[in-house]
């Protein structure tokens, strides 16, 4: 989604080809090394090739999760990525040229990502989002930010919940459990923050159950609601940051942006 400016066209063409080669190479590596096993737990979804553009959400336990999700849901996909990661010099050369990347400023108010995601859905592409906004390494789930819920509700796109076991090591098959697609009811007017929070918690609990299934836990413990979930004590957790912007996008913000777009059309 980002545009690289003031670049030599020939160099950019070569770099785009390099990025395409890297994308396919990484996908082959993910399948060969981690041998992901996709399990369909519901009845409405039996293939990773979705017939309806969807908002795909998953738990976030490893920095490899986004790569795995892109590898599995390979066709017609986009993914929301933190803008600071896109600007990281180690990844910038690739992420700024990957057409499937939707940047999100997670430290400031940002509504542009939602508008870009909406356009992707309208074009027939799926949008992958990690609602926790950051990795959590202690086995629990962070609060789900409400941006994905508002996006799904405002566009009518179904939400597809995915549970990842988060284990990436040679000799272990990474398990991915896909649940049923579920729509968030569309009603007249602007949805309240309480409504979006309730729907986000509903999907948080759903992803938790799918994650436990991916881990092979027959009788999983109950996940405390977000307000009662303890803060992670992992020493590196605070360095990861959080997607504050995804949570801070409110109905009025997106409505105002849509109104402005209609006025410019």
């Amino acid at each position: 989604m980002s545009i690289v400016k003031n670049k030599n066209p020939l160099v950019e063409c070569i770099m785009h080809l390099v990025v395409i080669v890297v994308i396919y190479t990484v996908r082959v590596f993910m399948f060969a090394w981690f041998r992901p096993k996709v399990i369909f737990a519901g009845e409405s979804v039996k293939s990773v090739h979705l017939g309806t553009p969807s908002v795909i959400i998953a738990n976030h336990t490893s920095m490899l999760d986004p790569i795995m999700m892109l590898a599995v849901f390979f066709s017609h996909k986009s993914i929301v990525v933190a803008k600071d990661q896109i600007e990281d010099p180690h990844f910038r050369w690739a992420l700024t040229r990957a057409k499937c990347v939707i940047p999100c400023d997670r430290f400031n108010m940002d509504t542009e990502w939602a508008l870009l995601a909406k356009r992707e859905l309208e074009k027939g592409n799926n949008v992958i989002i990690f609602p926790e906004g950051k990795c959590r390494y202690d086995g629990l789930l962070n609060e789900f930010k409400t941006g994905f819920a508002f996006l799904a509700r405002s566009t009518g796109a179904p939400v597809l919940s995915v549970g990842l076991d988060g284990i990436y090591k040679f000799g272990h098959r990474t398990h991915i459990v896909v649940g049923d697609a579920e729509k968030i009811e569309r009603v007249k007017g602007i949805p309240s923050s309480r409504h979006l929070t309730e729907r986000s918690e509903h999907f948080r609990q759903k992803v938790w159950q799918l994650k436990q299934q991916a881990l092979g836990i027959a009788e999983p413990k109950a996940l405390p609601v977000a307000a009662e979930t303890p803060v992670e004590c992992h020493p590196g957790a605070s360095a990861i940051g959080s997607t504050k912007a995804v949570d801070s996008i409110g109905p009025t913000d997106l409505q105002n942006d849509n109104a402005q777009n209609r006025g410019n059309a």
Side-chain angles (χ1 to χ4, degrees), residues 60 62-63 66 79-96 101 103-107 130 133-135 239-243:
H60 202 0
S62 168
M63 296 303 291
I79 186 168
V80 177
V81 178
K83 187 177 180 180
D84 53 293
Q85 292 184 357
I86 296 175
E87 294 174 347
D88 187 310
H90 296 92
F91 310 110
R92 178 180 175 83
W93 67 273
L95 293 179
T96 55
V101 172
C104 173
D105 188 343
R106 58 184 179 175
F107 300 114
F130 292 91
K134 61 179 180 179
C135 292
I240 302 297
S242 64
T243 52

Side-chain angles (χ1 to χ4, degrees), residues 66-264:
I67 302 175
M68 179 59 76
M69 289 292 287
L70 287 172
V72 172
F73 296 93
F74 192 66
S75 61
H76 305 293
K77 82 291 181 185
S78 293
I79 186 168
V80 177
V81 178
K83 187 177 180 180
D84 53 293
Q85 292 184 357
I86 296 175
E87 294 174 347
D88 187 310
H90 296 92
F91 310 110
R92 178 180 175 83
W93 67 273
L95 293 179
T96 55
R97 296 177 174 89
K99 295 182 179 180
C100 64
V101 172
I102 300 174
C104 173
D105 188 343
R106 58 184 179 175
F107 300 114
N108 299 289
M109 179 66 71
D110 182 13
T111 60
E112 184 179 2
W113 79 268
L115 296 175
L116 292 172
K118 182 175 181 290
R119 292 171 192 159
E120 289 300 300
L121 290 168
E122 291 172 346
K123 290 191 294 186
N125 295 329
N126 304 304
V127 176
I128 300 171
I129 302 177
F130 292 91
E132 293 175 88
K134 61 179 180 179
C135 292
R136 179 155 186 154
Y137 303 99
D138 65 355
L140 296 176
L141 266 64
N142 289 312
E143 176 187 7
F144 273 23
K145 311 305 180 182
T146 59
F148 84 93
F150 184 75
L151 175 65
R153 183 192 176 281
S154 62
T155 60
V159 178
L160 184 65
S161 301
V162 177
L164 304 169
D165 69 5
I167 302 173
Y168 301 97
K169 61 182 181 181
F170 182 72
H172 170 80
R173 294 194 68 181
T174 301
H175 284 66
I176 302 164
V177 181
V178 180
D180 278 315
E182 182 178 347
K183 284 196 174 186
I184 298 178
E185 61 276 11
R186 300 186 71 180
V187 295
K188 292 183 179 180
I190 300 174
S192 65
S193 298
R194 178 180 177 181
H195 171 72
L196 293 176
T197 300
E198 289 174 350
R199 300 313 295 159
S200 296
E201 180 62 27
H202 164 76
F203 284 104
R204 178 173 175 264
Q205 295 293 334
K206 188 174 182 178
V207 169
W208 168 258
Q209 293 297 325
L210 295 173
K211 176 187 175 182
Q212 303 312 297
Q213 187 173 340
L215 289 168
I217 300 175
E219 298 181 2
K221 295 181 180 179
L223 175 69
V225 296
E228 298 176 2
T229 300
V231 177
E232 184 181 19
C233 296
H234 190 280
S238 60
I240 302 297
S242 64
T243 52
K244 177 181 178 182
V246 175
D247 186 38
S248 62
I249 291 177
T252 304
D253 296 320
L254 193 53
Q255 184 187 52
N256 290 340
D257 283 344
N258 285 333
Q260 183 178 2
N261 287 345
R262 289 194 296 270
N264 293 335

Side-chain angles (χ1 to χ4, degrees), residues 8-22 93 97:
N8 184 298
L10 178 59
V11 173
E12 282 305 300
C13 182
I14 294 174
M15 289 303 296
H16 277 293
L17 291 175
V18 170
V19 169
I20 291 173
V21 171
V22 169
W93 67 273
R97 296 177 174 89

Side-chain angles (χ1 to χ4, degrees), residues 2-8 12 92:
S2 299
I3 300 176
V4 181
K5 299 181 179 179
N6 302 321
K7 298 292 184 177
N8 184 298
E12 282 305 300
R92 178 180 175 83

